[in-house]
Amino acid sequence: MTTPPPFHPRSRGGSARGRQVSSRRVRDLILASIRNGTIDIDAQLVEEDLMIMFNSSRGSVRAALNELSETGVVIRRPRVGTRVNRRDLGVALDDISATGGELVHIQVTDQCIVPTFPLIRERLQIDDDVVRLVENSFIANDEIIGMRSAYFSPRFNADPNDLRDKPMSMARTLAEFFGVAPGGASVSIGAERADERTARLLDVRPGETLLSREILYTTADGTPVEIVFDRFRADRIRFESQIDNSDVTWCAEPEQAPAPEESLCTNEISQESDPEGPVRLAQPG
């Protein structure tokens, strides 16, 4: 672990005001610290150190660690202590590749030709009566972390096994398998329950929540080439994306000048007004 600050609010007679009293917030901070390496993998977690690090109470830290223990992020053992068990894998939002340098491989589990249907025709902009289906497993750290069902036109007849056991990215897949220049991707993220077959493949309980992802990949000229449906273990991966808004120029709106009508009205009033006092009406002669 990193060295915590040298003081705790209680040592100065402080109260809970301004502290991370919510176990949910403490859990978020611990998990983020594990993900980015501020807390080392396999590190021993000491409640007092975490109280100081996150300016929190013992109850909130303990509740946060219990929640992380239930999801397998940490392991808690009586009279032994708490240590980090694992760190989930960051996967690019629109890609297969991991964001932290870990390698993701694929294993082909099924491939066949199936009748097409309206969704595929519309999304891929094709008129084929049949479509090619390839199912893959995603493997990282010798563990299956997800699976993919990919649909594309049968005119792409390369063998997906040629990509087996190679570190994967969609740019490489589009270039080497489809033979096209990589373009953009349209992504939709959701969650779903694992059916029995998926649960067996991913080694989870049937009904467990999975992260789901639908992506439409296009070529450099915008032509749709493949639509995929992914399911990942929610306790093993997280989706990540980098957004750069540095080219956006923002300026505060200038103060609005009075409308011409308002200016005229103001001027007329000032001209008709007596600077020495109120306007006096003429009396009858």
Side-chain angles (χ1 to χ4, degrees), residues 258 260-271:
E261 295 79 3
E262 296 177 350
S263 299
L264 285 175
C265 181
T266 303
N267 291 336
E268 290 172 359
I269 292 175
S270 61
Q271 292 172 2

Side-chain angles (χ1 to χ4, degrees), residues 22-266:
S22 167
S23 62
R24 172 180 54 81
R25 295 174 187 169
V26 175
R27 176 189 176 279
D28 291 344
L29 293 170
I30 295 175
L31 188 57
S33 299
I34 294 172
R35 285 172 173 169
N36 69 14
T38 303
I39 296 178
D40 297 331
I41 196 71
D42 294 324
Q44 192 78 15
L45 302 182
V46 180
E47 290 183 1
E48 189 69 27
D49 291 345
L50 295 174
M51 291 166 59
I52 298 172
M53 178 182 290
F54 299 118
N55 195 17
S56 186
S57 66
R58 184 178 299 277
S60 294
V61 168
R62 185 165 294 174
L65 291 176
N66 287 337
E67 292 177 25
L68 293 172
S69 176
E70 291 175 0
T71 59
V73 176
V74 303
I75 296 177
R76 308 203 74 188
R77 292 176 179 168
R79 295 183 297 277
V80 175
T82 303
R83 68 173 180 83
V84 178
N85 180 41
R86 59 174 173 76
R87 182 170 53 227
D88 53 11
L89 185 71
V91 174
L93 181 65
D94 58 350
D95 210 330
I96 301 173
S97 58
T99 58
E102 300 90 344
L103 300 181
V104 178
H105 306 270
I106 67 166
Q107 181 176 356
V108 179
T109 57
D110 192 16
Q111 56 175 319
C112 56
I113 300 294
V114 297
T116 190
F117 40 91
L119 171 68
I120 298 299
R121 286 197 184 99
E122 178 184 351
R123 299 299 301 277
L124 294 182
Q125 300 176 14
I126 60 175
D127 294 323
D128 300 299
D129 293 328
V130 295
V131 68
R132 192 170 176 192
L133 166 64
V134 174
E135 290 192 339
N136 302 326
S137 296
F138 297 136
I139 302 174
N141 301 320
D142 298 322
E143 181 181 36
I144 296 179
I145 60 172
M147 58 177 291
R148 163 170 290 186
S149 298
Y151 296 88
F152 49 91
S153 172
R155 71 176 182 274
F156 298 108
N157 56 10
D159 185 356
N161 286 298
D162 292 341
L163 301 175
R164 183 176 180 177
D165 296 329
K166 294 181 179 180
M168 291 307 304
S169 71
M170 279 311 300
R172 182 172 186 170
T173 300
L174 291 170
E176 295 187 13
F177 180 80
F178 291 99
V180 300
S186 174
V187 186
S188 177
I189 303 295
E192 63 180 60
R193 301 289 184 181
D195 57 46
E196 290 190 5
R197 179 179 179 275
T198 304
R200 185 168 59 253
L201 179 65
L202 297 181
D203 193 25
V204 298
R205 296 185 303 272
E208 188 163 327
T209 301
L210 305 175
L211 293 177
S212 63
R213 181 176 68 171
E214 175 188 331
I215 310 178
L216 176 67
Y217 292 106
T218 61
T219 62
D221 64 1
T223 302
V225 65
E226 180 186 37
I227 184 170
V228 303
F229 301 90
D230 298 336
R231 298 166 184 83
F232 289 93
R233 289 188 56 161
D235 63 339
R236 289 293 187 270
I237 76 109
R238 66 186 184 277
F239 295 123
E240 295 187 339
S241 177
Q242 296 290 332
I243 300 175
D244 183 6
N245 290 324
S246 60
D247 60 340
V248 177
T249 302
W250 179 87
C251 296
E253 294 185 4
E255 295 183 3
Q256 293 184 352
E261 295 79 3
E262 296 177 350
S263 299
L264 285 175
C265 181
T266 303

